């Protein structure tokens, strides 16, 4: 491989990472009840969803809370935790999959809601579940180049509208077992928000460093998982098989380029399902008890799931720990990013 498959950052620190949990908890058993007519007609087990995915529950926003308002809240909390004023931010990147319109960007509302200065660049990066990691990489590059000093990356996801439509479609008398399996992944989604502040490491001694990482694309498989307001349609086996191949290629590429990720203190992966997590652990030989899982209680929160998991793990990390963030997104794309605590 040539080009920018692997990359290193010189002077970038993760100053904070924060999460906002959606207020309404819904169990997979409740989803099964919503789908009871079709499950009975199609002779499918009510416990199939939780048994196969490992998702016991996920969250929806409480009435009156929107995904972009939650992203604003997460951003405020991240700024406070980092000790950075809104006026110091030179870049805001929103990485949400969820959006209510094609334009303007979600970032424009978040920028306004946070009271960021007119000089702060703001835009969306849309790259499925990999968006947040991509946003951090872009921000780190701009800090290293000297274009900006501080950046804020946010994501806010709302699974409810898509899942409500999916309930209606699967309960249609004409729905099939194939329909259920193709839309199964939609039922594992969850709602939540996350934000992170990054800045120059030489001004923030003792903060975790963003060291660098690797990325790879497998865009021949861009039709394996296609999502939109009307639902998400997935070839689960094709997605898993080809996603694993891409991850292994990226892992090998990184080690050939001088990285050593065989004994990290934590592997923070994008949260999809039980089978996905087990497959990743086996494919590259991760230490299982160093791979935290949050999908059983939060579901797959899209690009917010990785930073939400990192937020949870940050409470137990100590100076000297090494963390590898790992994600795969529809497209297919993968990225791995090392953090040094």
């Amino acid at each position: 491989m040539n080009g920018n498959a692997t990359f290193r950052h010189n002077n970038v620190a993760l100053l904070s990472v924060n999460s906002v949990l959606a207020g309404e908890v819904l169990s997979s058993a409740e989803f099964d009840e919503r789908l009871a007519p079709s499950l009975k007609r199609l002779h499918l087990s009510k416990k199939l969803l939780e048994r196969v995915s490992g998702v016991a529950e996920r969250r929806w926003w409480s009435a009156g809370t929107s995904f972009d308002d939650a992203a604003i809240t997460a951003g405020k909390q991240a700024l406070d935790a980092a000790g950075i004023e809104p006026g110091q931010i030179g870049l805001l990147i929103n990485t949400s999959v969820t959006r209510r319109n094609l334009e303007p960007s979600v970032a424009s509302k978040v920028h306004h809601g946070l009271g960021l200065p007119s000089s702060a660049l703001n835009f969306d990066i849309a790259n499925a579940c990999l968006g947040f990691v991509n946003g951090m990489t872009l921000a780190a590059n701009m800090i290293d180049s000297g274009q900006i000093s501080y950046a804020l990356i946010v994501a806010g996801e709302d699974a409810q509208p898509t899942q409500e439509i999916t309930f209606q479609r699967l309960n249609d008398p004409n729905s099939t077992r194939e329909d259920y399996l193709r839309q199964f992944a939609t039922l594992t989604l969850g709602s939540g928000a996350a934000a992170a502040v990054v800045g120059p490491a030489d001004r923030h001694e003792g903060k975790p460093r963003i060291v660098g990482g690797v990325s790879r694309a497998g865009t021949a498989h861009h039709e394996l998982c296609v999502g939109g307001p009307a639902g998400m349609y997935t070839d689960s086996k094709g997605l898993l098989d080809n996603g694993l191949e891409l991850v292994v290629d990226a892992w090998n590429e990184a080690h050939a380029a001088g990285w050593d990720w065989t004994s990290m203190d934590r592997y923070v992966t994008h949260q999809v399902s039980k089978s996905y997590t087990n497959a990743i652990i086996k494919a590259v030989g991760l230490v299982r008890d160093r791979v935290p899982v949050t999908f059983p209680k939060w579901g797959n929160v899209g690009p917010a799931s990785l930073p939400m998991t990192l937020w949870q793990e940050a409470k137990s990390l100590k100076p000297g720990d090494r963390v590898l963030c790992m994600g795969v997104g529809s497209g297919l794309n993968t990225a791995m990013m090392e953090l040094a605590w």
Side-chain angles (χ1 to χ4, degrees), residues 44 48 103 135 172 199 227 241 271 319 321:
L44 293 169
L48 182 66
E103 61 176 316
D172 185 282
D241 291 346
Q271 302 290 308
D321 283 347

Side-chain angles (χ1 to χ4, degrees), residues 5-324:
T6 63
F7 48 90
R8 294 180 183 270
H9 302 298
N10 299 317
N11 184 38
V12 187
L14 175 64
L15 305 187
S16 67
V17 59
N18 284 73
S19 176
V20 174
L21 301 180
E24 187 175 349
V25 179
L26 293 100
S27 68
S28 287
E30 291 177 83
F31 272 33
D32 287 339
E33 288 302 316
R34 293 282 296 271
L35 290 168
S38 65
L39 292 175
K40 181 178 180 179
R41 178 173 53 82
L42 299 173
H43 304 290
L44 293 169
S45 168
K46 277 190 174 183
K47 298 182 179 180
L48 182 66
L49 175 57
E50 182 173 349
R51 185 176 71 247
V52 172
S53 70
V55 177
E57 59 189 41
R58 78 286 291 142
R59 291 169 176 254
W60 286 356
W61 296 111
S62 301
T65 301
S66 66
F67 74 95
D68 40 14
D69 287 335
I72 293 170
T73 299
K76 288 179 179 177
Q77 293 178 354
L79 289 171
D80 289 343
I84 299 300
E85 296 296 325
Q88 295 177 268
I89 296 295
L91 170 68
L92 166 72
I93 303 177
N94 167 68
T95 64
S96 306
V97 169
T98 303
R99 58 191 315 113
R100 59 170 53 89
N101 38 255
L102 292 176
E103 61 176 316
S105 68
V106 177
S108 61
K109 177 178 177 179
V110 178
H111 182 282
H112 175 71
L114 291 171
L116 301 185
S118 176
S119 57
L121 293 166
N122 62 98
F123 47 79
D124 293 351
I125 284 182
N127 198 18
C129 296
L130 205 59
F132 203 96
V133 176
N134 292 153
M136 290 182 67
T137 298
L138 177 57
N141 287 336
M142 293 178 68
I143 291 169
D144 272 338
S145 74
Q147 184 175 353
I148 61 170
S149 293
Y150 297 97
L152 176 64
I153 302 94
V154 302
E157 301 300 335
D158 186 359
Q160 181 177 358
T162 301
Q163 289 173 332
E164 294 279 17
I165 293 172
T166 301
F167 290 147
Q168 295 175 21
R169 187 162 46 241
L170 292 181
N171 277 329
D172 185 282
N174 295 315
S175 68
T176 65
R177 289 171 69 98
E178 182 181 17
D179 291 332
Y180 183 87
L181 295 176
R182 288 185 66 226
Q183 297 174 69
F184 182 86
T186 307
L187 305 176
T188 69
L189 299 177
S191 303
V197 176
V198 296
D202 56 8
R203 299 186 200 173
H204 299 276
E205 186 176 350
K207 289 292 186 179
R209 293 286 296 267
I210 301 178
V211 183
V214 61
S215 66
R216 270 209 177 210
T219 54
H221 311 295
H222 66 276
E223 294 184 344
L224 291 178
C225 181
V226 178
M232 184 166 69
Y233 301 87
T234 304
D235 175 351
S236 297
K237 185 179 186 305
L239 193 66
L240 179 60
D241 291 346
N242 290 287
L244 282 178
E245 181 179 353
L246 195 62
V247 167
V248 171
D249 285 346
W251 179 273
N252 292 336
E253 172 75 12
H255 284 79
W259 297 95
D260 181 7
W261 294 330
T262 56
S263 58
M264 306 298 283
D265 296 286
R266 215 69 50 91
Y267 297 92
V268 179
T269 64
H270 169 57
Q271 302 290 308
V272 180
S273 67
K274 178 170 59 179
S275 58
Y276 168 87
T277 301
N278 290 339
I280 290 289
I281 290 172
K282 182 178 180 180
V284 293
L286 305 182
V287 180
R288 181 174 292 274
D289 62 7
R290 298 181 186 179
V291 183
V293 295
T294 56
F295 64 81
K297 58 181 180 179
W298 295 339
N300 176 354
V301 199
S305 69
L306 192 152
M308 288 174 68
T309 305
L310 181 60
W311 163 76
Q312 175 181 275
E313 293 302 300
K315 304 165 189 176
S316 61
L317 292 170
K318 59 186 184 301
D321 283 347
R322 297 172 67 213
V323 178
L324 186 66

